[in-house]
Amino acid sequence: MSNADGEVRPTVYPAPAYPPPGYGPPPGYGPPPGYGPPPPGYGPPPPGYGPPPPGYGPPPPGYGPPPPGYGPPPPGYGPPPWYPPTGYPPALKPGVIPLRPLTLGDIFNGAVAYIRANPKATLGLTTIVVIIAQIIGLILQVAPPAATGNFTPLRGEHVSNAALAGSTVGAIASVVAVGLSAILLSGMLTVVVGRAVFGAHITIGEAWEKVRGRLPALIGLTALEAAGAAVLIAAVVVVIVAVDAGANGGIALVTGIPLVIGLVAALAYLGTVLSFAPVVIVLERLPVFAAIARSFALVRGSFWRVLGIRLLAAVVAGLVASAVAIPFTVAGQLLTIGAASTGAVLVALVLRSVGNAIGQIITAPFSAGVVVLLYADRRIRAEAFDLVLQTGAAGAPAGPAGSTDHLWLTRHP
């Protein structure tokens, strides 16, 4: 369209009304019964999202819809009931200890458990060895004084030099006999514990066969330890006597106290670092000096733990042995008070021997078990030895007797 001036202008049409006529919900349409307004901040559901199933409650905070295709877990899904709270399976335990680093409770419980699992090879063996040793020691104590005619202890009478020498020799011989029996017993019990770690049993004859060839090395180690202790004690005594001779007693006392403390500390240190040498001789079948070096290496880095556990075990064993032996010792002392007959003295000696024997029978297997299991713990912690034990334990039940003995061996460069 153009105007009077010839200018062309577009034609303007009126806009239709919005919404168009008839637009809106169909007649009778409304929300379903009970449908209220959505909560604040509630947006439209995602495409394809339908209503929840009946009884479905609100999801926990931060919970989103499952991924596509994800269904519910199968019935009974979850960790096995025997799993510990950490979710890791328990350590393998084929015998008296779990094959992992041991706690104090594991060591003490294992030292008791192997006795219960092998009563004949522990209590029976200990009874045989201890009774024989006590009989030999009693004979060696009685024979020299009886041979000199001064067996009856008479108060206030002069004791001849021959009687004194005979009693001293008899006492020393008795100590040697008891010490040898202790070496034999410790070696055989070490073999029993080595088998009990895998749940295997062993007879007294088999234990003797295993330890028989190692007795010379065990005796040599004991003699070397006794000689070293004697040298240290003699050195301290000589120094104290020399100071006392060259000065007054006060200076000797001041000098002697730190020397004695140092002597006790040195003996405790040597006794701790040599704790595993007998076990190494028996289980790893090493010679004396190699066993000493091996014991030093195992104790290194855990000296105070080894010392503490050994002291605690010694205290426990000492208390039990004393509690058993006290009635026999008291009865023996009562018999010797004012006794002038040989029979009363003999009965008193027998009672003391019986008390000592019973105490040793009860405590010797426990003490030996603590040392061997502490040795196993040190190898587990220092050498990951539990992996070797687990490998051997897998075939131990089906293997022949003694099939796990080689696992204790160690190849040294």
Side-chain angles (χ1 to χ4, degrees), residues 82 88-102 197-198 380 386-397:
W82 45 266
Y88 294 99
L92 180 65
K93 187 179 179 181
V96 297
I97 58 169
L99 302 184
R100 56 163 172 75
L102 304 178
V197 169
F198 301 98
I380 289 173
D386 52 333
L387 303 180
V388 178
L389 297 178
Q390 292 172 12
T391 302

Side-chain angles (χ1 to χ4, degrees), residues 161-184:
N161 293 332
L164 182 60
S167 299
T168 304
V169 171
I172 294 175
S174 175
V175 170
V176 171
V178 173
L180 291 176
S181 69
I183 295 171
L184 172 62

Side-chain angles (χ1 to χ4, degrees), residues 263-354:
L263 174 64
V264 173
L267 293 176
Y269 171 78
L270 292 176
T272 302
V273 297
L274 295 176
S275 297
F276 303 141
V279 184
V280 171
I281 288 176
V282 174
L283 294 183
E284 299 188 29
R285 311 191 74 80
L286 295 181
V288 175
F289 290 102
I292 291 175
R294 176 81 168 134
S295 181
F296 267 83
L298 288 174
V299 176
R300 186 183 303 119
S302 188
F303 173 84
W304 293 110
R305 184 171 186 268
V306 175
L307 175 61
I309 293 178
R310 290 211 61 186
L311 283 177
L312 182 59
V315 169
V316 172
L319 290 176
V320 173
S322 299
V324 172
I326 282 176
F328 298 91
T329 304
V330 171
Q333 291 291 341
L334 293 176
L335 285 175
T336 56
I337 294 176
S341 64
T342 303
V345 177
L346 279 174
V347 172
L349 290 176
V350 170
L351 286 175
R352 293 196 193 100
S353 299
V354 170

